[in-house]
Amino acid sequence: MQIAVSGANGFVGRALSTQLCDAGHDVIAIVRRSGVCEPRARECLIADDNFAGIAHGKPDMGDCDVLVHLAARVHVMQDNVADPLAVYRAANVDGAMNAARAALRAGARRLIFVSSVKALGEGEPGRPWREDDPATPIDPYGISKLEAERALTAFGQANGMEIVIVRPPLVYGPGVRANFESLMKTIERGVPLPLGAVDARRSMVYVGNLADAIRVLATRPERTEGVFHVTDGEDLSVSGMVRAIAAAFGKPARLISVPVSVLRALGRLTGRTAQIERLTGPLRMEARRLGSELRWTPPWSVSEGLAETVRAYRTGGRHAE
């Protein structure tokens, strides 16, 4: 198949492109810089952030069967722009719609939009999120992702294109950055963490598992539409995750049991309430449809995924094998 991937140079994009090429598919990598993606992919260089040019055939990426839209403005903890929602909408809603127009121009029958658990909300509704739960996002990133989901669904219905929404939770793996990389550094250095009493469980997905699920959804011959959640299938507590990462480093987990109420009080005092809530509150997802309709199971376990992540971190590796 001919499969176009926007954001093919990113964390998930490289892992997906590699899996697609390994499976014998032709990948069109939609990127802004040359030489930064899977070497076997054919690059389609674009000059703008929001895909306005490619939506009008400039440049012409050629024919494709499926377009996977990964490119996005990602979640920013402290956003200093004057109107964050407008900026997120420009990148994540307008950009997604321009990608859909480019896919339609290229003859694609299906578009896969990689959204986020944040499109559902910040916490969970007393149980793991399901694919058909009403969404109540509260931050600009989550709002823009949900708006893109709805706009793309309407576009697909109007133009006869299958729209697949993929919602992952926290994604980790070789090359992961931001908070997960900082956590690995802290654990490697043996710094004690006050998280021993945090038993809230949070869903995660290894980048290889996410890429595999997207590959299956992209190449499935049957008509495929709607929302799919994807996780590793094993929700660790925050303290359990620290122990698992420490085990992958071959080190003891240095955890101090500080009551969650104390952590939250400290968060309010230091202006870090959101960060503390992300550490102490549960956020789980059920990935029902992938299992029940597609019989998909994650190729990597959590322990295998964390071991690969730590191995790549220790050797300076940036991307999944």
Side-chain angles (χ1 to χ4, degrees):
M1 294 176 64
Q2 297 268 7
I3 302 176
V5 179
S6 73
N9 59 312
F11 174 46
V12 178
R14 281 191 63 105
L16 173 62
S17 298
T18 297
Q19 286 198 18
L20 290 172
C21 289
D22 286 347
H25 301 289
D26 294 327
V27 174
I28 305 163
I30 306 172
V31 292
R32 286 188 292 152
R33 292 186 295 117
S34 181
V36 292
C37 55
E38 160 63 49
R40 292 170 291 178
R42 174 172 66 83
E43 293 180 346
C44 175
L45 296 178
I46 61 172
D48 54 86
D49 289 335
N50 298 335
F51 301 90
I54 199 171
H56 298 93
K58 299 176 182 180
D60 184 0
M61 68 178 177
D63 296 337
C64 73
D65 301 299
V66 176
L67 188 146
V68 180
H69 187 55
L70 287 163
R73 177 178 171 83
V74 298
H75 188 263
V76 179
M77 289 295 296
Q78 295 181 337
D79 208 330
N80 296 319
V81 298
D83 188 349
L85 183 55
V87 175
Y88 276 107
R89 279 175 169 155
N92 296 344
V93 182
D94 297 346
M97 294 306 296
N98 283 330
R101 295 181 187 102
L104 186 66
R105 173 182 287 273
R109 62 183 175 84
R110 183 179 302 161
L111 182 142
I112 297 178
F113 175 64
V114 179
S115 185
S116 168
V117 64
K118 296 294 184 180
L120 289 164
E122 285 299 309
E124 63 175 43
R127 55 164 173 75
W129 286 103
R130 299 168 183 160
E131 281 101 342
D132 59 354
D133 277 331
T136 55
I138 62 173
D139 74 339
Y141 173 71
I143 291 169
S144 69
K145 282 292 192 178
L146 181 62
E147 289 179 351
E149 289 183 15
R150 291 173 172 171
L152 287 169
T153 300
F155 180 89
Q157 292 170 348
N159 292 280
M161 180 182 291
E162 299 170 29
I163 303 295
V164 176
I165 309 296
V166 177
R167 290 185 188 142
L170 169 69
V171 184
Y172 68 98
V176 67
R177 303 294 296 271
N179 292 338
F180 203 96
E181 184 182 36
S182 297
L183 180 62
M184 287 194 294
K185 288 180 180 178
T186 302
I187 294 170
E188 183 187 33
R189 293 169 181 166
V191 178
L193 292 166
L195 304 174
V198 180
D199 59 4
R201 295 184 178 271
R202 299 180 74 87
S203 294
M204 303 190 301
V205 64
Y206 177 58
V207 68
N209 289 336
L210 176 57
D212 187 73
I214 296 171
R215 177 190 60 80
V216 169
L217 289 164
T219 59
R220 188 171 188 249
E222 296 85 1
R223 186 174 183 85
T224 307
E225 294 179 293
V227 176
F228 291 83
H229 291 177
V230 55
T231 76
D232 286 337
E234 180 184 354
D235 300 334
L236 299 179
S237 66
V238 173
S239 57
M241 180 173 61
V242 171
R243 292 186 180 95
I245 295 172
F249 274 114
K251 295 176 176 289
R254 304 192 66 187
L255 287 164
I256 302 170
S257 291
V258 176
V260 171
S261 59
V262 174
L263 292 175
R264 287 174 173 163
L266 289 172
R268 290 191 294 271
L269 288 171
T270 59
R272 296 183 177 181
T273 298
Q275 292 93 322
I276 295 299
E277 283 301 317
R278 286 182 173 86
L279 284 173
T280 59
L283 184 56
R284 298 165 296 165
M285 306 177 75
E286 288 185 358
R288 289 187 173 187
R289 292 191 66 197
L290 278 170
S292 63
E293 297 178 26
L294 277 68
R295 299 292 185 265
W296 180 84
T297 56
W300 285 270
S301 67
V302 174
S303 59
E304 290 169 338
L306 288 173
E308 279 297 298
T309 306
V310 169
R311 179 199 60 77
Y313 168 81
R314 298 180 82 168
T315 59
R318 300 300 307 150
H319 305 289
E321 298 294 336

mmCIF file of all heavy atoms in Angstrom, residues 21-58:
data_model
loop_
_atom_site.group_PDB
_atom_site.id
_atom_site.type_symbol
_atom_site.label_atom_id
_atom_site.label_comp_id
_atom_site.label_asym_id
_atom_site.label_seq_id
_atom_site.Cartn_x
_atom_site.Cartn_y
_atom_site.Cartn_z
ATOM 1 N N CYS A 21 7.537 0.171 6.499
ATOM 2 C CA CYS A 21 8.539 -0.236 5.502
ATOM 3 C C CYS A 21 8.945 -1.689 5.699
ATOM 4 O O CYS A 21 9.099 -2.444 4.720
ATOM 5 C CB CYS A 21 9.761 0.677 5.582
ATOM 6 S SG CYS A 21 9.485 2.354 4.975
ATOM 7 N N ASP A 22 9.110 -2.115 6.938
ATOM 8 C CA ASP A 22 9.447 -3.515 7.213
ATOM 9 C C ASP A 22 8.380 -4.457 6.686
ATOM 10 O O ASP A 22 8.678 -5.586 6.280
ATOM 11 C CB ASP A 22 9.620 -3.732 8.720
ATOM 12 C CG ASP A 22 10.913 -3.144 9.269
ATOM 13 O OD1 ASP A 22 11.799 -2.779 8.461
ATOM 14 O OD2 ASP A 22 11.025 -3.045 10.504
ATOM 15 N N ALA A 23 7.112 -3.991 6.715
ATOM 16 C CA ALA A 23 5.995 -4.822 6.244
ATOM 17 C C ALA A 23 5.813 -4.753 4.728
ATOM 18 O O ALA A 23 4.891 -5.378 4.191
ATOM 19 C CB ALA A 23 4.704 -4.399 6.948
ATOM 20 N N GLY A 24 6.658 -3.989 4.043
ATOM 21 C CA GLY A 24 6.616 -3.941 2.584
ATOM 22 C C GLY A 24 5.767 -2.851 1.989
ATOM 23 O O GLY A 24 5.524 -2.854 0.770
ATOM 24 N N HIS A 25 5.323 -1.893 2.795
ATOM 25 C CA HIS A 25 4.509 -0.804 2.270
ATOM 26 C C HIS A 25 5.387 0.365 1.838
ATOM 27 O O HIS A 25 6.504 0.535 2.327
ATOM 28 C CB HIS A 25 3.505 -0.343 3.331
ATOM 29 C CG HIS A 25 2.585 -1.421 3.798
ATOM 30 N ND1 HIS A 25 1.581 -1.933 3.003
ATOM 31 C CD2 HIS A 25 2.533 -2.113 4.973
ATOM 32 C CE1 HIS A 25 0.939 -2.886 3.666
ATOM 33 N NE2 HIS A 25 1.501 -3.014 4.856
ATOM 34 N N ASP A 26 4.878 1.164 0.908
ATOM 35 C CA ASP A 26 5.570 2.378 0.473
ATOM 36 C C ASP A 26 5.110 3.535 1.346
ATOM 37 O O ASP A 26 3.913 3.808 1.444
ATOM 38 C CB ASP A 26 5.254 2.682 -0.993
ATOM 39 C CG ASP A 26 5.807 1.621 -1.931
ATOM 40 O OD1 ASP A 26 6.869 1.052 -1.618
ATOM 41 O OD2 ASP A 26 5.165 1.359 -2.963
ATOM 42 N N VAL A 27 6.061 4.218 1.976
ATOM 43 C CA VAL A 27 5.743 5.302 2.891
ATOM 44 C C VAL A 27 6.111 6.640 2.259
ATOM 45 O O VAL A 27 7.224 6.823 1.758
ATOM 46 C CB VAL A 27 6.492 5.132 4.228
ATOM 47 C CG1 VAL A 27 6.266 6.341 5.137
ATOM 48 C CG2 VAL A 27 6.035 3.862 4.934
ATOM 49 N N ILE A 28 5.149 7.552 2.284
ATOM 50 C CA ILE A 28 5.384 8.933 1.874
ATOM 51 C C ILE A 28 5.512 9.745 3.155
ATOM 52 O O ILE A 28 4.542 9.903 3.902
ATOM 53 C CB ILE A 28 4.233 9.465 1.014
ATOM 54 C CG1 ILE A 28 3.993 8.557 -0.198
ATOM 55 C CG2 ILE A 28 4.501 10.898 0.577
ATOM 56 C CD1 ILE A 28 2.645 8.774 -0.871
ATOM 57 N N ALA A 29 6.695 10.234 3.436
ATOM 58 C CA ALA A 29 6.962 10.965 4.675
ATOM 59 C C ALA A 29 6.755 12.452 4.447
ATOM 60 O O ALA A 29 7.526 13.091 3.727
ATOM 61 C CB ALA A 29 8.389 10.690 5.148
ATOM 62 N N ILE A 30 5.716 13.011 5.049
ATOM 63 C CA ILE A 30 5.409 14.430 4.905
ATOM 64 C C ILE A 30 6.149 15.174 6.013
ATOM 65 O O ILE A 30 5.785 15.088 7.195
ATOM 66 C CB ILE A 30 3.902 14.685 4.986
ATOM 67 C CG1 ILE A 30 3.149 13.815 3.969
ATOM 68 C CG2 ILE A 30 3.591 16.157 4.759
ATOM 69 C CD1 ILE A 30 1.635 13.870 4.113
ATOM 70 N N VAL A 31 7.199 15.864 5.649
ATOM 71 C CA VAL A 31 8.076 16.517 6.630
ATOM 72 C C VAL A 31 8.487 17.900 6.126
ATOM 73 O O VAL A 31 8.310 18.225 4.953
ATOM 74 C CB VAL A 31 9.343 15.667 6.895
ATOM 75 C CG1 VAL A 31 8.991 14.376 7.630
ATOM 76 C CG2 VAL A 31 10.061 15.343 5.593
ATOM 77 N N ARG A 32 9.067 18.691 7.017
ATOM 78 C CA ARG A 32 9.517 20.036 6.646
ATOM 79 C C ARG A 32 11.022 20.106 6.409
ATOM 80 O O ARG A 32 11.516 21.090 5.884
ATOM 81 C CB ARG A 32 9.110 21.049 7.716
ATOM 82 C CG ARG A 32 7.616 21.364 7.697
ATOM 83 C CD ARG A 32 7.289 22.499 8.632
ATOM 84 N NE ARG A 32 7.480 22.110 10.028
ATOM 85 C CZ ARG A 32 7.799 22.956 10.996
ATOM 86 N NH1 ARG A 32 7.981 24.232 10.720
ATOM 87 N NH2 ARG A 32 7.923 22.545 12.234
ATOM 88 N N ARG A 33 11.761 19.073 6.833
ATOM 89 C CA ARG A 33 13.207 19.040 6.625
ATOM 90 C C ARG A 33 13.610 17.703 6.031
ATOM 91 O O ARG A 33 13.049 16.665 6.380
ATOM 92 C CB ARG A 33 13.961 19.257 7.951
ATOM 93 C CG ARG A 33 13.818 20.648 8.521
ATOM 94 C CD ARG A 33 14.705 20.825 9.752
ATOM 95 N NE ARG A 33 14.300 19.978 10.855
ATOM 96 C CZ ARG A 33 15.046 19.006 11.384
ATOM 97 N NH1 ARG A 33 16.244 18.738 10.889
ATOM 98 N NH2 ARG A 33 14.607 18.289 12.399
ATOM 99 N N SER A 34 14.583 17.736 5.176
ATOM 100 C CA SER A 34 15.045 16.522 4.515
ATOM 101 C C SER A 34 16.019 15.755 5.400
ATOM 102 O O SER A 34 16.722 16.339 6.233
ATOM 103 C CB SER A 34 15.730 16.880 3.186
ATOM 104 O OG SER A 34 16.169 15.716 2.526
ATOM 105 N N GLY A 35 16.037 14.429 5.233
ATOM 106 C CA GLY A 35 17.018 13.593 5.903
ATOM 107 C C GLY A 35 16.766 13.340 7.370
ATOM 108 O O GLY A 35 17.707 13.003 8.095
ATOM 109 N N VAL A 36 15.530 13.458 7.830
ATOM 110 C CA VAL A 36 15.261 13.311 9.259
ATOM 111 C C VAL A 36 14.272 12.182 9.556
ATOM 112 O O VAL A 36 13.813 12.047 10.690
ATOM 113 C CB VAL A 36 14.719 14.626 9.851
ATOM 114 C CG1 VAL A 36 15.777 15.695 9.844
ATOM 115 C CG2 VAL A 36 13.471 15.098 9.101
ATOM 116 N N CYS A 37 13.954 11.365 8.573
ATOM 117 C CA CYS A 37 12.969 10.315 8.804
ATOM 118 C C CYS A 37 13.520 8.969 8.332
ATOM 119 O O CYS A 37 14.688 8.857 7.942
ATOM 120 C CB CYS A 37 11.646 10.647 8.113
ATOM 121 S SG CYS A 37 11.787 10.965 6.358
ATOM 122 N N GLU A 38 12.699 7.947 8.356
ATOM 123 C CA GLU A 38 13.074 6.608 7.914
ATOM 124 C C GLU A 38 13.682 6.669 6.512
ATOM 125 O O GLU A 38 13.047 7.177 5.579
ATOM 126 C CB GLU A 38 11.822 5.713 7.934
ATOM 127 C CG GLU A 38 11.885 4.457 7.099
ATOM 128 C CD GLU A 38 12.954 3.478 7.562
ATOM 129 O OE1 GLU A 38 13.008 3.198 8.775
ATOM 130 O OE2 GLU A 38 13.713 3.010 6.700
ATOM 131 N N PRO A 39 14.909 6.172 6.323
ATOM 132 C CA PRO A 39 15.596 6.324 5.025
ATOM 133 C C PRO A 39 14.865 5.698 3.850
ATOM 134 O O PRO A 39 15.034 6.147 2.715
ATOM 135 C CB PRO A 39 16.949 5.644 5.265
ATOM 136 C CG PRO A 39 17.151 5.683 6.745
ATOM 137 C CD PRO A 39 15.782 5.559 7.333
ATOM 138 N N ARG A 40 14.075 4.666 4.103
ATOM 139 C CA ARG A 40 13.374 4.000 2.996
ATOM 140 C C ARG A 40 12.121 4.742 2.544
ATOM 141 O O ARG A 40 11.527 4.396 1.506
ATOM 142 C CB ARG A 40 13.003 2.568 3.414
ATOM 143 C CG ARG A 40 14.192 1.637 3.584
ATOM 144 C CD ARG A 40 13.786 0.326 4.235
ATOM 145 N NE ARG A 40 13.399 0.527 5.645
ATOM 146 C CZ ARG A 40 12.963 -0.458 6.437
ATOM 147 N NH1 ARG A 40 12.849 -1.691 5.961
ATOM 148 N NH2 ARG A 40 12.648 -0.204 7.699
ATOM 149 N N ALA A 41 11.688 5.727 3.295
ATOM 150 C CA ALA A 41 10.489 6.480 2.935
ATOM 151 C C ALA A 41 10.807 7.501 1.845
ATOM 152 O O ALA A 41 11.927 7.984 1.734
ATOM 153 C CB ALA A 41 9.924 7.191 4.160
ATOM 154 N N ARG A 42 9.789 7.830 1.045
ATOM 155 C CA ARG A 42 9.927 8.896 0.052
ATOM 156 C C ARG A 42 9.469 10.194 0.691
ATOM 157 O O ARG A 42 8.336 10.304 1.149
ATOM 158 C CB ARG A 42 9.076 8.591 -1.184
ATOM 159 C CG ARG A 42 9.070 9.745 -2.208
ATOM 160 C CD ARG A 42 8.388 9.341 -3.493
ATOM 161 N NE ARG A 42 6.974 9.079 -3.339
ATOM 162 C CZ ARG A 42 6.015 10.010 -3.339
ATOM 163 N NH1 ARG A 42 6.337 11.287 -3.449
ATOM 164 N NH2 ARG A 42 4.748 9.669 -3.229
ATOM 165 N N GLU A 43 10.351 11.167 0.745
ATOM 166 C CA GLU A 43 10.036 12.420 1.415
ATOM 167 C C GLU A 43 9.168 13.329 0.548
ATOM 168 O O GLU A 43 9.357 13.419 -0.660
ATOM 169 C CB GLU A 43 11.320 13.164 1.785
ATOM 170 C CG GLU A 43 12.144 12.469 2.850
ATOM 171 C CD GLU A 43 13.407 13.231 3.182
ATOM 172 O OE1 GLU A 43 13.771 14.140 2.401
ATOM 173 O OE2 GLU A 43 14.037 12.926 4.215
ATOM 174 N N CYS A 44 8.226 13.970 1.209
ATOM 175 C CA CYS A 44 7.436 15.035 0.589
ATOM 176 C C CYS A 44 7.630 16.260 1.467
ATOM 177 O O CYS A 44 7.092 16.334 2.584
ATOM 178 C CB CYS A 44 5.962 14.637 0.523
ATOM 179 S SG CYS A 44 4.866 15.940 -0.099
ATOM 180 N N LEU A 45 8.432 17.201 1.007
ATOM 181 C CA LEU A 45 8.801 18.358 1.815
ATOM 182 C C LEU A 45 7.748 19.451 1.691
ATOM 183 O O LEU A 45 7.383 19.851 0.586
ATOM 184 C CB LEU A 45 10.158 18.898 1.369
ATOM 185 C CG LEU A 45 11.357 17.952 1.560
ATOM 186 C CD1 LEU A 45 12.634 18.601 1.039
ATOM 187 C CD2 LEU A 45 11.511 17.573 3.023
ATOM 188 N N ILE A 46 7.270 19.934 2.840
ATOM 189 C CA ILE A 46 6.291 21.009 2.848
ATOM 190 C C ILE A 46 6.919 22.237 3.498
ATOM 191 O O ILE A 46 7.846 22.133 4.298
ATOM 192 C CB ILE A 46 4.998 20.612 3.577
ATOM 193 C CG1 ILE A 46 5.284 20.274 5.056
ATOM 194 C CG2 ILE A 46 4.337 19.423 2.889
ATOM 195 C CD1 ILE A 46 4.039 20.051 5.886
ATOM 196 N N ALA A 47 6.392 23.398 3.174
ATOM 197 C CA ALA A 47 7.007 24.650 3.627
ATOM 198 C C ALA A 47 6.254 25.308 4.766
ATOM 199 O O ALA A 47 6.730 26.287 5.332
ATOM 200 C CB ALA A 47 7.099 25.624 2.455
ATOM 201 N N ASP A 48 5.065 24.801 5.115
ATOM 202 C CA ASP A 48 4.268 25.470 6.140
ATOM 203 C C ASP A 48 3.911 24.501 7.262
ATOM 204 O O ASP A 48 3.966 23.290 7.105
ATOM 205 C CB ASP A 48 2.988 26.045 5.525
ATOM 206 C CG ASP A 48 2.200 24.978 4.779
ATOM 207 O OD1 ASP A 48 1.407 24.271 5.421
ATOM 208 O OD2 ASP A 48 2.393 24.849 3.556
ATOM 209 N N ASP A 49 3.528 25.065 8.387
ATOM 210 C CA ASP A 49 3.228 24.263 9.568
ATOM 211 C C ASP A 49 1.868 23.576 9.506
ATOM 212 O O ASP A 49 1.700 22.497 10.053
ATOM 213 C CB ASP A 49 3.261 25.139 10.822
ATOM 214 C CG ASP A 49 4.670 25.563 11.177
ATOM 215 O OD1 ASP A 49 5.612 24.856 10.791
ATOM 216 O OD2 ASP A 49 4.822 26.601 11.840
ATOM 217 N N ASN A 50 0.908 24.206 8.867
ATOM 218 C CA ASN A 50 -0.472 23.739 8.975
ATOM 219 C C ASN A 50 -0.998 23.080 7.705
ATOM 220 O O ASN A 50 -2.216 22.994 7.506
ATOM 221 C CB ASN A 50 -1.381 24.899 9.393
ATOM 222 C CG ASN A 50 -0.995 25.448 10.754
ATOM 223 O OD1 ASN A 50 -0.402 24.754 11.567
ATOM 224 N ND2 ASN A 50 -1.311 26.713 10.994
ATOM 225 N N PHE A 51 -0.108 22.666 6.812
ATOM 226 C CA PHE A 51 -0.452 21.845 5.651
ATOM 227 C C PHE A 51 -1.351 22.557 4.643
ATOM 228 O O PHE A 51 -2.013 21.906 3.834
ATOM 229 C CB PHE A 51 -1.117 20.525 6.088
ATOM 230 C CG PHE A 51 -0.251 19.696 6.991
ATOM 231 C CD1 PHE A 51 -0.296 19.851 8.355
ATOM 232 C CD2 PHE A 51 0.641 18.783 6.463
ATOM 233 C CE1 PHE A 51 0.516 19.109 9.190
ATOM 234 C CE2 PHE A 51 1.461 18.032 7.286
ATOM 235 C CZ PHE A 51 1.399 18.194 8.655
ATOM 236 N N ALA A 52 -1.359 23.885 4.673
ATOM 237 C CA ALA A 52 -2.207 24.624 3.736
ATOM 238 C C ALA A 52 -1.775 24.401 2.297
ATOM 239 O O ALA A 52 -2.609 24.259 1.397
ATOM 240 C CB ALA A 52 -2.178 26.116 4.072
ATOM 241 N N GLY A 53 -0.465 24.355 2.050
ATOM 242 C CA GLY A 53 0.012 24.169 0.693
ATOM 243 C C GLY A 53 -0.329 22.811 0.128
ATOM 244 O O GLY A 53 -0.873 22.689 -0.985
ATOM 245 N N ILE A 54 -0.035 21.768 0.875
ATOM 246 C CA ILE A 54 -0.254 20.411 0.378
ATOM 247 C C ILE A 54 -1.741 20.123 0.178
ATOM 248 O O ILE A 54 -2.124 19.278 -0.627
ATOM 249 C CB ILE A 54 0.401 19.379 1.320
ATOM 250 C CG1 ILE A 54 0.586 18.044 0.606
ATOM 251 C CG2 ILE A 54 -0.383 19.207 2.602
ATOM 252 C CD1 ILE A 54 1.404 17.053 1.400
ATOM 253 N N ALA A 55 -2.593 20.842 0.901
ATOM 254 C CA ALA A 55 -4.037 20.685 0.704
ATOM 255 C C ALA A 55 -4.456 21.094 -0.695
ATOM 256 O O ALA A 55 -5.469 20.620 -1.217
ATOM 257 C CB ALA A 55 -4.799 21.505 1.741
ATOM 258 N N HIS A 56 -3.647 21.986 -1.322
ATOM 259 C CA HIS A 56 -3.932 22.451 -2.674
ATOM 260 C C HIS A 56 -2.959 21.869 -3.689
ATOM 261 O O HIS A 56 -2.810 22.399 -4.792
ATOM 262 C CB HIS A 56 -3.887 23.984 -2.716
ATOM 263 C CG HIS A 56 -4.924 24.631 -1.843
ATOM 264 N ND1 HIS A 56 -4.673 25.003 -0.532
ATOM 265 C CD2 HIS A 56 -6.226 24.952 -2.089
ATOM 266 C CE1 HIS A 56 -5.787 25.528 -0.022
ATOM 267 N NE2 HIS A 56 -6.725 25.513 -0.937
ATOM 268 N N GLY A 57 -2.276 20.803 -3.310
ATOM 269 C CA GLY A 57 -1.385 20.125 -4.249
ATOM 270 C C GLY A 57 -0.024 20.766 -4.405
ATOM 271 O O GLY A 57 0.668 20.511 -5.387
ATOM 272 N N LYS A 58 0.406 21.589 -3.445
ATOM 273 C CA LYS A 58 1.706 22.268 -3.530
ATOM 274 C C LYS A 58 2.485 22.008 -2.235
ATOM 275 O O LYS A 58 2.266 22.697 -1.224
ATOM 276 C CB LYS A 58 1.521 23.770 -3.743
ATOM 277 C CG LYS A 58 0.798 24.112 -5.036
ATOM 278 C CD LYS A 58 0.564 25.614 -5.132
ATOM 279 C CE LYS A 58 -0.200 25.955 -6.407
ATOM 280 N NZ LYS A 58 -0.450 27.413 -6.516
#
